Amino acid sequence: MHNESVWRLTATEAAELIQAGKLTSEALTGACLERIASREAVIEAWETLDPDGALSQAQMRDREAGSFPLQGIPVAVKDLIDVAGLPTRYGSPIHAHAGAAASDAACVAAARRAGAVILGKTVTTEFAGAEPGKTHNPLNLAHTPGGSSSGSVACVADGMAPLAFGTQTAGSIIRPAAYCGIVGFKPSFGWMDLTGVGVFAPSLDTLGLFSRSVADVARFYAALTGRPQTPAPAGGPVRIGRLSGPPVAAASPLAEQAIAVSLTKLSGHGAEIVDVAPPIPLVTLARAQLTVMAYETNQSLLQAQQEHPGLLSPKTRELLALGASISRTEYEASLGLAGQARQSFAAAMEGVDALIMPPTSGIAPYGLQDTGDPAFCRVWSLLGFPALTLPVLRDESGLSVGIQLVAAPAGDDRLLAVAHLAGRV
Protein backbone atom coordinates (compact mmCIF):
# COMPACT_ATOMS: atom_id res chain seq x y z
CA MET A 1 0.00 0.00 0.00
CA HIS A 2 1.43 3.38 -1.05
CA ASN A 3 1.93 6.19 1.46
CA GLU A 4 -0.25 8.51 -0.58
CA SER A 5 -3.26 6.34 0.31
CA VAL A 6 -2.25 5.00 3.74
CA TRP A 7 -2.98 8.29 5.53
CA ARG A 8 -6.61 8.04 4.36
CA LEU A 9 -7.22 4.87 6.43
CA THR A 10 -9.45 5.07 9.46
CA ALA A 11 -8.04 3.75 12.71
CA THR A 12 -10.17 0.60 12.47
CA GLU A 13 -9.10 -0.09 8.88
CA ALA A 14 -5.44 0.45 9.77
CA ALA A 15 -5.62 -1.70 12.93
CA GLU A 16 -7.14 -4.59 10.97
CA LEU A 17 -4.43 -4.35 8.30
CA ILE A 18 -1.68 -4.19 10.92
CA GLN A 19 -3.07 -7.19 12.78
CA ALA A 20 -3.31 -9.10 9.50
CA GLY A 21 0.33 -8.34 8.71
CA LYS A 22 -0.59 -6.28 5.61
CA LEU A 23 0.57 -2.94 7.02
CA THR A 24 3.22 -1.87 9.49
CA SER A 25 2.90 0.81 12.12
CA GLU A 26 6.09 2.36 10.75
CA ALA A 27 4.50 2.71 7.30
CA LEU A 28 1.29 4.16 8.77
CA THR A 29 3.16 6.60 11.00
CA GLY A 30 5.44 7.58 8.14
CA ALA A 31 2.44 8.28 5.92
CA CYS A 32 0.90 10.49 8.60
CA LEU A 33 4.18 12.38 9.01
CA GLU A 34 4.38 12.89 5.24
CA ARG A 35 0.83 14.20 5.25
CA ILE A 36 1.74 16.60 8.05
CA ALA A 37 4.84 17.77 6.17
CA SER A 38 2.76 18.52 3.07
CA ARG A 39 -0.18 20.21 4.82
CA GLU A 40 0.95 21.77 8.10
CA ALA A 41 2.00 25.04 6.46
CA VAL A 42 -1.63 25.77 5.57
CA ILE A 43 -3.51 23.96 8.38
CA GLU A 44 -1.21 24.87 11.33
CA ALA A 45 -2.59 22.17 13.60
CA TRP A 46 0.54 21.29 15.56
CA GLU A 47 2.20 22.88 18.56
CA THR A 48 4.96 20.28 19.06
CA LEU A 49 5.57 17.42 16.64
CA ASP A 50 7.83 14.50 17.58
CA PRO A 51 8.58 12.70 14.28
CA ASP A 52 11.68 10.82 15.44
CA GLY A 53 9.99 9.71 18.65
CA ALA A 54 6.87 8.65 16.74
CA LEU A 55 8.84 6.54 14.26
CA SER A 56 10.79 4.94 17.11
CA GLN A 57 7.51 4.08 18.86
CA ALA A 58 6.10 2.67 15.61
CA GLN A 59 9.14 0.44 15.10
CA MET A 60 8.75 -0.83 18.66
CA ARG A 61 5.07 -1.57 18.01
CA ASP A 62 6.01 -3.58 14.93
CA ARG A 63 8.38 -5.71 17.01
CA GLU A 64 5.82 -6.41 19.74
CA ALA A 65 4.00 -9.71 19.97
CA GLY A 66 0.31 -9.85 20.67
CA SER A 67 -2.72 -7.88 19.59
CA PHE A 68 -3.66 -4.53 21.12
CA PRO A 69 -6.74 -2.46 20.21
CA LEU A 70 -4.67 0.55 19.10
CA GLN A 71 -1.67 -1.45 17.92
CA GLY A 72 0.56 0.96 16.01
CA ILE A 73 -2.15 3.63 15.50
CA PRO A 74 -0.91 7.28 15.59
CA VAL A 75 -2.66 9.55 18.09
CA ALA A 76 -2.49 13.34 18.44
CA VAL A 77 -2.74 15.02 21.85
CA LYS A 78 -4.22 18.45 22.65
CA ASP A 79 -1.57 20.70 24.18
CA LEU A 80 -3.46 20.86 27.45
CA ILE A 81 -2.56 17.24 28.16
CA ASP A 82 0.86 16.07 29.38
CA VAL A 83 3.04 13.84 27.20
CA ALA A 84 6.30 12.69 28.77
CA GLY A 85 9.28 14.38 27.14
CA LEU A 86 7.26 17.13 25.46
CA PRO A 87 6.31 20.59 26.80
CA THR A 88 2.74 21.51 27.70
CA ARG A 89 2.10 25.12 26.70
CA TYR A 90 -1.70 25.44 27.18
CA GLY A 91 -1.92 27.77 24.18
CA SER A 92 -0.49 30.56 26.34
CA PRO A 93 2.64 32.72 26.04
CA ILE A 94 2.99 32.28 29.80
CA HIS A 95 4.15 28.73 29.11
CA ALA A 96 5.99 29.40 25.84
CA HIS A 97 9.27 28.18 27.33
CA ALA A 98 7.88 25.32 29.41
CA GLY A 99 10.13 22.35 29.96
CA ALA A 100 9.30 18.79 29.03
CA ALA A 101 6.62 17.04 31.06
CA ALA A 102 8.02 14.41 33.41
CA SER A 103 5.25 11.89 32.81
CA ASP A 104 2.25 11.09 30.63
CA ALA A 105 -1.27 12.14 31.52
CA ALA A 106 -3.37 9.14 32.54
CA CYS A 107 -5.17 9.08 29.17
CA VAL A 108 -1.91 9.15 27.21
CA ALA A 109 -0.49 6.35 29.35
CA ALA A 110 -3.66 4.34 28.69
CA ALA A 111 -3.33 4.93 24.94
CA ARG A 112 0.27 3.73 25.01
CA ARG A 113 -0.76 0.58 26.93
CA ALA A 114 -3.31 -0.06 24.19
CA GLY A 115 -0.53 0.10 21.58
CA ALA A 116 -0.85 3.68 20.30
CA VAL A 117 1.92 5.80 18.79
CA ILE A 118 1.97 9.38 20.13
CA LEU A 119 2.70 11.84 17.31
CA GLY A 120 2.91 15.06 19.32
CA LYS A 121 0.90 17.99 20.71
CA THR A 122 -1.80 19.92 18.85
CA VAL A 123 -2.84 23.56 19.06
CA THR A 124 -5.32 24.59 21.75
CA THR A 125 -6.92 27.95 22.35
CA GLU A 126 -5.47 29.84 25.33
CA PHE A 127 -6.06 27.64 28.41
CA ALA A 128 -8.87 25.95 26.41
CA GLY A 129 -10.85 29.19 26.47
CA ALA A 130 -12.14 31.48 23.72
CA GLU A 131 -8.93 33.09 22.42
CA PRO A 132 -8.36 31.41 19.01
CA GLY A 133 -5.14 29.70 18.00
CA LYS A 134 -3.53 29.68 14.56
CA THR A 135 -5.30 26.61 13.14
CA HIS A 136 -7.45 26.69 9.97
CA ASN A 137 -10.47 24.57 9.06
CA PRO A 138 -9.29 21.88 6.58
CA LEU A 139 -12.65 21.99 4.76
CA ASN A 140 -12.23 25.69 3.98
CA LEU A 141 -9.07 27.45 5.12
CA ALA A 142 -10.81 30.81 5.42
CA HIS A 143 -12.98 29.52 8.28
CA THR A 144 -12.37 28.63 11.92
CA PRO A 145 -11.99 24.96 12.89
CA GLY A 146 -13.73 25.79 16.16
CA GLY A 147 -12.20 25.52 19.57
CA SER A 148 -10.77 24.91 21.97
CA SER A 149 -9.55 21.57 20.56
CA SER A 150 -8.73 23.22 17.24
CA GLY A 151 -5.48 21.47 16.38
CA SER A 152 -6.73 18.01 17.32
CA VAL A 153 -9.89 18.26 15.24
CA ALA A 154 -8.09 19.76 12.24
CA CYS A 155 -5.35 17.14 12.15
CA VAL A 156 -7.89 14.30 12.19
CA ALA A 157 -10.10 15.99 9.58
CA ASP A 158 -7.10 16.53 7.30
CA GLY A 159 -5.74 12.97 7.59
CA MET A 160 -2.67 13.87 9.66
CA ALA A 161 -3.70 11.41 12.39
CA PRO A 162 -6.54 8.87 12.64
CA LEU A 163 -7.27 9.66 16.31
CA ALA A 164 -6.84 12.58 18.68
CA PHE A 165 -7.53 13.67 22.24
CA GLY A 166 -9.44 16.86 23.04
CA THR A 167 -11.26 18.33 26.01
CA GLN A 168 -14.66 19.99 26.47
CA THR A 169 -15.79 22.46 29.11
CA ALA A 170 -18.50 24.19 27.07
CA GLY A 171 -18.42 22.93 23.47
CA SER A 172 -14.80 22.15 22.64
CA ILE A 173 -15.30 18.59 21.35
CA ILE A 174 -18.71 18.71 19.70
CA ARG A 175 -18.51 22.15 18.07
CA PRO A 176 -15.12 21.80 16.30
CA ALA A 177 -15.88 18.24 15.19
CA ALA A 178 -19.13 19.48 13.63
CA TYR A 179 -17.35 22.40 11.93
CA CYS A 180 -14.65 20.13 10.48
CA GLY A 181 -16.91 17.25 9.43
CA ILE A 182 -15.65 14.43 11.66
CA VAL A 183 -16.86 12.41 14.65
CA GLY A 184 -16.45 13.99 18.08
CA PHE A 185 -17.34 12.16 21.29
CA LYS A 186 -17.70 13.67 24.77
CA PRO A 187 -18.15 10.84 27.29
CA SER A 188 -20.08 11.11 30.53
CA PHE A 189 -18.46 13.48 33.02
CA GLY A 190 -15.88 11.73 35.18
CA TRP A 191 -15.68 8.56 33.11
CA MET A 192 -12.15 9.28 31.86
CA ASP A 193 -9.22 10.12 34.14
CA LEU A 194 -8.15 13.78 33.91
CA THR A 195 -4.86 13.33 35.78
CA GLY A 196 -2.24 15.25 33.82
CA VAL A 197 -4.81 17.42 31.99
CA GLY A 198 -4.81 21.19 32.52
CA VAL A 199 -7.64 22.41 34.74
CA PHE A 200 -10.10 25.02 33.38
CA ALA A 201 -13.38 24.43 35.24
CA PRO A 202 -13.24 21.18 37.24
CA SER A 203 -17.02 20.73 37.55
CA LEU A 204 -17.26 20.69 33.75
CA ASP A 205 -13.93 19.61 32.21
CA THR A 206 -14.28 16.36 30.26
CA LEU A 207 -11.79 14.47 28.14
CA GLY A 208 -13.03 13.69 24.63
CA LEU A 209 -12.07 11.90 21.44
CA PHE A 210 -11.91 12.66 17.70
CA SER A 211 -11.95 10.23 14.78
CA ARG A 212 -13.24 9.89 11.23
CA SER A 213 -15.77 7.12 11.99
CA VAL A 214 -18.02 5.91 14.80
CA ALA A 215 -16.22 2.56 14.76
CA ASP A 216 -12.96 4.39 15.39
CA VAL A 217 -14.22 6.41 18.32
CA ALA A 218 -15.78 3.28 19.85
CA ARG A 219 -12.46 1.43 19.46
CA PHE A 220 -10.56 4.35 20.98
CA TYR A 221 -12.95 4.65 23.93
CA ALA A 222 -12.93 0.91 24.56
CA ALA A 223 -9.13 0.82 24.49
CA LEU A 224 -8.94 3.58 27.10
CA THR A 225 -11.71 2.39 29.41
CA GLY A 226 -12.14 -1.35 28.87
CA ARG A 227 -15.77 -0.84 27.79
CA PRO A 228 -17.42 -2.77 24.90
CA GLN A 229 -15.97 -1.86 21.51
CA THR A 230 -19.16 -2.39 19.50
CA PRO A 231 -22.05 -2.08 21.95
CA ALA A 232 -25.47 -3.25 20.75
CA PRO A 233 -28.69 -1.34 21.47
CA ALA A 234 -31.20 -2.76 23.93
CA GLY A 235 -33.93 -4.94 22.47
CA GLY A 236 -36.66 -3.34 20.40
CA PRO A 237 -36.50 -0.39 18.02
CA VAL A 238 -34.19 2.53 18.70
CA ARG A 239 -36.10 5.53 20.08
CA ILE A 240 -34.81 9.00 19.19
CA GLY A 241 -36.05 12.03 21.11
CA ARG A 242 -36.33 15.23 19.09
CA LEU A 243 -35.69 18.42 21.08
CA SER A 244 -37.24 21.76 20.20
CA GLY A 245 -37.24 25.35 21.45
CA PRO A 246 -34.28 27.71 22.02
CA PRO A 247 -31.45 27.45 21.09
CA VAL A 248 -32.54 24.73 18.64
CA ALA A 249 -34.95 27.19 17.03
CA ALA A 250 -31.99 29.41 16.12
CA ALA A 251 -30.39 26.77 13.86
CA SER A 252 -29.72 27.70 10.25
CA PRO A 253 -31.80 26.17 7.44
CA LEU A 254 -28.90 23.85 6.55
CA ALA A 255 -28.57 22.71 10.17
CA GLU A 256 -32.32 22.07 10.28
CA GLN A 257 -32.04 20.13 7.03
CA ALA A 258 -29.34 17.92 8.54
CA ILE A 259 -31.70 17.02 11.39
CA ALA A 260 -34.61 16.40 9.02
CA VAL A 261 -32.55 14.20 6.69
CA SER A 262 -31.19 12.21 9.63
CA LEU A 263 -34.61 11.64 11.19
CA THR A 264 -36.08 10.54 7.87
CA LYS A 265 -33.30 8.01 7.31
CA LEU A 266 -33.34 6.75 10.89
CA SER A 267 -37.12 6.34 10.76
CA GLY A 268 -36.77 4.46 7.49
CA HIS A 269 -34.46 2.01 9.25
CA GLY A 270 -36.88 1.29 12.06
CA ALA A 271 -36.12 4.01 14.57
CA GLU A 272 -39.04 5.50 16.47
CA ILE A 273 -39.02 9.31 16.64
CA VAL A 274 -40.64 11.01 19.64
CA ASP A 275 -40.79 14.64 20.73
CA VAL A 276 -39.14 15.44 24.07
CA ALA A 277 -39.89 18.76 25.76
CA PRO A 278 -36.96 20.07 27.84
CA PRO A 279 -38.12 20.02 31.49
CA ILE A 280 -35.96 23.10 32.12
CA PRO A 281 -35.32 25.59 29.28
CA LEU A 282 -32.00 24.92 27.59
CA VAL A 283 -31.15 28.62 27.57
CA THR A 284 -31.55 28.73 31.37
CA LEU A 285 -29.12 25.85 31.75
CA ALA A 286 -26.71 27.41 29.24
CA ARG A 287 -26.54 30.52 31.43
CA ALA A 288 -25.87 28.33 34.46
CA GLN A 289 -23.04 26.60 32.59
CA LEU A 290 -21.42 29.95 31.82
CA THR A 291 -21.75 30.97 35.48
CA VAL A 292 -20.04 27.80 36.69
CA MET A 293 -17.35 27.95 34.02
CA ALA A 294 -16.49 31.62 34.59
CA TYR A 295 -16.43 31.28 38.38
CA GLU A 296 -14.22 28.17 38.37
CA THR A 297 -11.90 29.42 35.65
CA ASN A 298 -11.28 32.58 37.65
CA GLN A 299 -10.13 30.32 40.49
CA SER A 300 -8.09 27.96 38.28
CA LEU A 301 -6.16 30.78 36.59
CA LEU A 302 -5.62 32.85 39.72
CA GLN A 303 -1.84 32.36 39.65
CA ALA A 304 -1.64 33.36 35.98
CA GLN A 305 -3.66 36.51 36.74
CA GLN A 306 -1.43 37.45 39.64
CA GLU A 307 1.95 36.72 38.05
CA HIS A 308 1.41 37.38 34.31
CA PRO A 309 -1.65 39.62 33.81
CA GLY A 310 -0.12 41.26 30.74
CA LEU A 311 0.25 37.91 28.96
CA LEU A 312 -3.43 37.03 29.13
CA SER A 313 -5.52 37.73 26.02
CA PRO A 314 -8.47 40.16 26.10
CA LYS A 315 -10.99 37.30 25.70
CA THR A 316 -9.48 35.40 28.61
CA ARG A 317 -9.42 38.53 30.77
CA GLU A 318 -13.07 39.14 29.91
CA LEU A 319 -14.05 35.63 31.09
CA LEU A 320 -12.00 36.03 34.26
CA ALA A 321 -13.62 39.40 34.99
CA LEU A 322 -17.02 37.76 34.63
CA GLY A 323 -15.94 35.03 37.02
CA ALA A 324 -14.72 37.56 39.55
CA SER A 325 -18.11 39.30 39.46
CA ILE A 326 -20.04 36.11 40.31
CA SER A 327 -20.81 35.56 43.98
CA ARG A 328 -20.39 32.24 45.74
CA THR A 329 -24.17 32.19 46.21
CA GLU A 330 -24.79 32.56 42.44
CA TYR A 331 -22.24 29.86 41.70
CA GLU A 332 -23.74 27.39 44.17
CA ALA A 333 -27.23 28.15 42.85
CA SER A 334 -26.08 27.23 39.34
CA LEU A 335 -24.56 23.99 40.60
CA GLY A 336 -27.82 23.25 42.40
CA LEU A 337 -29.81 23.90 39.24
CA ALA A 338 -27.50 21.51 37.37
CA GLY A 339 -28.18 18.78 39.91
CA GLN A 340 -31.92 19.31 39.62
CA ALA A 341 -31.72 19.32 35.82
CA ARG A 342 -29.79 16.04 35.72
CA GLN A 343 -32.64 14.30 37.48
CA SER A 344 -35.42 15.97 35.50
CA PHE A 345 -33.75 15.38 32.11
CA ALA A 346 -33.00 11.76 33.01
CA ALA A 347 -36.69 11.30 33.80
CA ALA A 348 -37.76 13.02 30.57
CA MET A 349 -35.42 10.71 28.61
CA GLU A 350 -36.74 7.52 30.18
CA GLY A 351 -37.16 4.99 27.37
CA VAL A 352 -35.34 7.20 24.86
CA ASP A 353 -32.03 5.91 23.51
CA ALA A 354 -30.73 9.33 22.50
CA LEU A 355 -31.82 12.90 21.96
CA ILE A 356 -31.09 14.60 18.64
CA MET A 357 -30.37 18.30 18.08
CA PRO A 358 -27.92 20.39 16.06
CA PRO A 359 -24.36 20.54 17.40
CA THR A 360 -24.01 24.15 16.21
CA SER A 361 -26.19 26.85 14.69
CA GLY A 362 -24.68 26.11 11.26
CA ILE A 363 -21.38 26.05 9.40
CA ALA A 364 -18.09 27.29 10.84
CA PRO A 365 -17.88 31.11 11.03
CA TYR A 366 -15.72 32.94 8.53
CA GLY A 367 -12.26 33.99 9.74
CA LEU A 368 -10.08 32.89 12.63
CA GLN A 369 -11.06 35.59 15.13
CA ASP A 370 -13.95 33.62 16.64
CA THR A 371 -14.19 29.89 17.38
CA GLY A 372 -17.99 29.86 17.20
CA ASP A 373 -20.90 29.78 19.64
CA PRO A 374 -21.06 26.79 22.05
CA ALA A 375 -24.74 27.44 22.86
CA PHE A 376 -25.83 24.06 21.45
CA CYS A 377 -23.34 22.19 23.67
CA ARG A 378 -23.28 24.06 26.98
CA VAL A 379 -26.20 22.18 28.57
CA TRP A 380 -24.66 18.73 28.12
CA SER A 381 -21.35 19.95 29.53
CA LEU A 382 -23.19 21.32 32.58
CA LEU A 383 -25.17 18.11 33.09
CA GLY A 384 -22.29 15.77 32.27
CA PHE A 385 -24.37 13.79 29.75
CA PRO A 386 -22.48 11.96 26.97
CA ALA A 387 -22.73 13.58 23.53
CA LEU A 388 -21.54 12.72 20.04
CA THR A 389 -21.60 14.56 16.73
CA LEU A 390 -21.75 13.10 13.22
CA PRO A 391 -21.30 14.94 9.89
CA VAL A 392 -24.36 14.89 7.62
CA LEU A 393 -24.33 17.60 4.94
CA ARG A 394 -21.93 20.02 3.20
CA ASP A 395 -22.68 23.48 1.86
CA GLU A 396 -21.51 24.77 -1.51
CA SER A 397 -18.15 25.87 -0.05
CA GLY A 398 -17.44 22.41 1.38
CA LEU A 399 -18.19 23.24 5.02
CA SER A 400 -19.99 20.66 7.14
CA VAL A 401 -23.12 20.55 9.29
CA GLY A 402 -24.12 17.57 11.34
CA ILE A 403 -26.22 16.21 14.16
CA GLN A 404 -25.62 15.95 17.89
CA LEU A 405 -26.77 12.84 19.74
CA VAL A 406 -27.09 12.95 23.53
CA ALA A 407 -27.74 10.09 25.94
CA ALA A 408 -28.87 9.98 29.55
CA PRO A 409 -26.30 9.88 32.37
CA ALA A 410 -23.92 6.92 32.07
CA GLY A 411 -25.51 6.08 28.71
CA ASP A 412 -22.23 6.08 26.80
CA ASP A 413 -22.58 2.57 25.41
CA ARG A 414 -26.15 3.22 24.31
CA LEU A 415 -25.09 6.48 22.67
CA LEU A 416 -22.33 4.76 20.70
CA ALA A 417 -24.79 2.07 19.60
CA VAL A 418 -27.23 4.68 18.28
CA ALA A 419 -24.33 6.47 16.59
CA HIS A 420 -23.38 3.21 14.87
CA LEU A 421 -26.88 3.02 13.44
CA ALA A 422 -26.86 6.69 12.42
CA GLY A 423 -23.45 6.30 10.83
CA ARG A 424 -24.65 3.37 8.73
CA VAL A 425 -27.80 5.10 7.45
Side-chain angles (χ1 to χ4, degrees):
M1 185 174 290
H2 298 293
N3 272 12
E4 57 265 28
S5 60
V6 168
W7 63 267
R8 299 178 186 274
L9 294 171
T10 67
T12 299
E13 292 167 343
E16 290 172 352
L17 289 171
I18 288 172
Q19 289 166 5
K22 298 178 180 179
L23 177 69
T24 65
S25 176
E26 184 175 8
L28 174 61
T29 302
C32 289
L33 291 171
E34 288 183 15
R35 178 68 176 173
I36 293 167
S38 69
R39 294 283 292 169
E40 174 61 6
V42 295
I43 302 298
E44 297 187 279
W46 295 88
E47 183 65 35
T48 305
L49 190 65
D50 184 23
D52 292 340
L55 286 171
S56 177
Q57 292 172 66
Q59 291 163 0
M60 179 185 70
R61 297 306 184 196
D62 287 334
R63 293 192 297 268
E64 287 175 340
S67 176
F68 300 90
L70 302 181
Q71 184 68 33
I73 304 301
V75 173
V77 181
K78 182 178 181 177
D79 196 27
L80 196 73
I81 302 168
D82 286 345
V83 172
L86 300 180
T88 304
R89 299 194 175 107
Y90 306 99
S92 168
I94 294 172
H95 299 281
H97 304 292
S103 58
D104 286 332
C107 61
V108 175
R112 290 194 202 272
R113 288 194 297 271
V117 170
I118 305 301
L119 285 176
K121 310 292 287 297
T122 56
V123 172
T124 176
T125 63
E126 183 182 38
F127 293 112
E131 181 64 24
K134 61 185 178 180
T135 309
H136 298 251
N137 190 319
L139 301 182
N140 187 319
L141 298 176
H143 291 252
T144 180
S148 61
S149 307
S150 50
S152 286
V153 72
C155 81
V156 172
D158 201 59
M160 297 175 175
L163 301 172
F165 283 111
T167 61
Q168 176 160 315
T169 305
S172 299
I173 295 291
I174 300 301
R175 183 172 83 261
Y179 284 162
C180 293
I182 63 170
V183 178
F185 175 50
K186 183 195 79 70
S188 290
F189 177 79
W191 277 35
M192 292 183 67
D193 192 338
L194 285 172
T195 303
V197 180
V199 176
F200 194 64
S203 296
L204 306 170
D205 295 343
T206 306
L207 194 68
L209 312 174
F210 295 112
S211 71
R212 295 195 295 274
S213 77
V214 176
D216 282 8
V217 86
R219 174 183 287 268
F220 198 7
Y221 191 47
L224 298 171
T225 64
R227 305 192 68 76
Q229 186 169 309
T230 53
V238 170
R239 300 185 81 229
I240 305 293
R242 176 172 45 199
L243 279 177
S244 58
V248 177
S252 70
L254 190 63
E256 290 180 343
Q257 184 184 353
I259 296 292
V261 166
S262 300
L263 289 175
T264 298
K265 291 193 174 185
L266 286 165
S267 179
H269 283 75
E272 181 182 351
I273 312 301
V274 298
D275 288 315
V276 175
I280 298 174
L282 299 184
V283 291
T284 300
L285 295 175
R287 286 194 295 268
Q289 187 277 338
L290 178 58
T291 296
V292 173
M293 182 175 72
Y295 184 91
E296 292 189 353
T297 301
N298 184 51
Q299 303 297 315
S300 299
L301 297 184
L302 192 59
Q303 182 177 354
Q305 296 179 72
Q306 293 173 340
E307 298 180 2
H308 306 282
L311 294 181
L312 293 171
S313 71
K315 288 187 177 181
T316 297
R317 291 200 301 270
E318 181 181 353
L319 179 64
L320 297 176
L322 174 61
S325 73
I326 295 168
S327 69
R328 181 77 186 184
T329 300
E330 291 175 290
Y331 165 66
E332 290 179 347
S334 292
L335 288 178
L337 178 61
Q340 174 190 342
R342 285 187 197 101
Q343 294 181 354
S344 58
F345 267 85
M349 295 168 67
E350 188 68 35
V352 172
D353 292 287
L355 299 175
I356 188 170
M357 66 180 289
T360 62
S361 61
I363 61 171
Y366 178 81
L368 303 184
Q369 296 76 35
D370 183 6
T371 61
D373 186 356
F376 290 72
C377 311
R378 286 188 187 275
V379 171
W380 315 119
S381 294
L382 178 71
L383 303 187
F385 288 14
L388 183 145
T389 186
L390 290 168
V392 177
L393 300 174
R394 298 278 183 97
D395 75 351
E396 64 278 0
S397 72
L399 289 167
S400 178
V401 294
I403 57 172
Q404 179 176 199
L405 297 169
V406 181
D412 299 52
D413 295 343
R414 183 179 295 186
L415 177 62
L416 289 168
V418 175
H420 272 290
L421 171 64
R424 287 197 303 270
V425 304

